[in-house]
């Protein structure tokens, strides 16, 4: 399956300096949601480019408007969602995980200051790269806004997909392997 992360697509648009990327940069850094039109357009483009593909939507939809638009897009294609997976993590754990995370600037390998620190020799375990980056919005202030955006605009999707019979929840507090196994079980 192809992973479609709207966050990754938006970050890519920023780095490549497209007009849209420049427009959304400040919104993303503040932790607010970008407009539905922009993200729906990004998803539509990817679905059209691979008409027979199967997809994992990551970080999308995040509003009721996006969920309705996704439903309409899939209906037009005669496709459907197999499952909607909610990963449950309490806010304190989320904040401590996110403020500790970084990635290798070369290969994208993920690190965490507490659970998986960057090796003492300063080299990435996967590719040997020596530069690491943190997301501009992984700071406490942006995070507070991101959480508030979640509660105001995204959490209603839990009821929306529950009512459609699509919702499955997993405990996101466990180890990576445990969470992975719980998701695999749902997809099986
Ligand atoms: P993420 O990588 O999913 O944490 O997203 C990072 C940021 O990109 C979010 O805080 C939003 O500013 C923006 N973003 C990503 N996906 C969406 C979406 N589906 N709707 C609106 N904004 C989004």
């Amino acid at each position: 399956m192809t992973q479609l992360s709207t966050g990754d697509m938006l970050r890519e648009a920023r780095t490549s300096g497209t007009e849209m990327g420049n427009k959304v940069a400040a919104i993303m850094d503040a932790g607010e949601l970008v407009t539905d039109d922009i993200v729906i357009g990004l998803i539509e483009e990817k679905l059209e480019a691979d008409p027979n593909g199967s997809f994992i939507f990551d970080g999308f939809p995040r509003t009721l408007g996006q969920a309705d638009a996704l439903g309409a897009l899939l209906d037009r294609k005669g496709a459907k969602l197999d499952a909607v997976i909610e990963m449950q993590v309490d806010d304190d754990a989320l904040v401590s995980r996110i403020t500790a995370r970084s990635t290798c600037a070369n290969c994208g390998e993920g690190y965490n200051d507490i659970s998986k620190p960057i090796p003492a020799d300063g080299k990435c375990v996967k590719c040997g790269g020596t530069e690491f980056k943190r997301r501009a919005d992984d700071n406490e202030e942006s995070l507070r806004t991101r959480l508030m955006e979640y509660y105001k605009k995204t959490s209603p999707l839990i009821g929306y997909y529950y009512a459609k019979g699509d919702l499955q929840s997993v405990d996101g507090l466990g180890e990576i392997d445990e969470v992975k196994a719980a998701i695999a079980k749902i997809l099986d």
Side-chain angles (χ1 to χ4, degrees):
M1 296 172 93
T2 308
Q3 180 196 6
L4 294 184
S5 154
T6 41
D8 285 349
M9 292 178 216
L10 292 165
R11 277 184 290 278
E12 200 180 303
R14 289 181 64 164
T15 340
S16 48
T18 64
E19 197 186 325
M20 184 270 280
N22 295 337
K23 200 168 131 191
V24 299
I27 298 172
M28 292 174 75
D29 286 349
E32 290 160 17
L33 293 186
V34 310
T35 61
D36 285 353
D37 287 357
I38 289 179
V39 281
I40 294 164
L42 288 170
I43 290 288
E44 204 168 357
E45 225 171 77
K46 296 283 182 188
L47 295 187
E48 270 162 18
D50 185 6
N52 299 315
S54 357
F55 302 95
I56 300 168
F57 298 101
D58 169 3
F60 174 89
R62 258 174 154 107
T63 64
L64 290 169
Q66 292 176 24
D68 279 339
L70 176 63
L73 262 175
L74 295 177
D75 280 349
R76 280 209 297 279
K77 296 180 149 298
K80 65 170 194 59
L81 290 174
D82 294 307
V84 173
I85 301 175
E86 175 202 15
M87 282 184 267
Q88 296 178 328
V89 181
D90 72 55
D91 290 356
D92 287 344
L94 206 58
V95 170
S96 60
R97 280 181 179 183
I98 288 178
T99 49
R101 73 180 174 178
S102 60
T103 50
C104 169
N106 182 47
C107 73
E109 177 74 358
Y111 292 91
N112 182 288
D113 298 339
I114 297 143
S115 59
K116 185 182 164 189
I118 294 164
D121 65 3
K123 288 190 181 154
C124 172
V125 288
K126 203 165 163 195
C127 74
T130 52
E131 277 186 44
F132 299 87
K133 57 182 185 184
R134 291 183 192 262
R135 278 172 46 169
D137 57 349
D138 280 353
N139 61 76
E140 291 220 34
E141 200 187 330
S142 305
L143 257 175
R144 261 196 300 277
T145 309
R146 282 157 71 189
L147 280 172
M148 196 48 83
E149 290 283 76
Y150 170 79
Y151 287 117
K152 283 197 294 203
K153 299 176 185 166
T154 307
S155 65
L157 296 186
I158 302 291
Y160 177 98
Y161 283 117
Y162 174 78
K164 285 181 182 285
D166 290 332
L167 187 74
Q168 306 262 10
S169 299
V170 301
D171 179 2
L173 275 177
E175 294 299 316
I176 291 175
D177 284 348
E178 291 164 355
V179 180
K180 184 179 167 188
I183 293 172
K185 199 168 155 206
I186 292 169
L187 297 180
D188 283 345

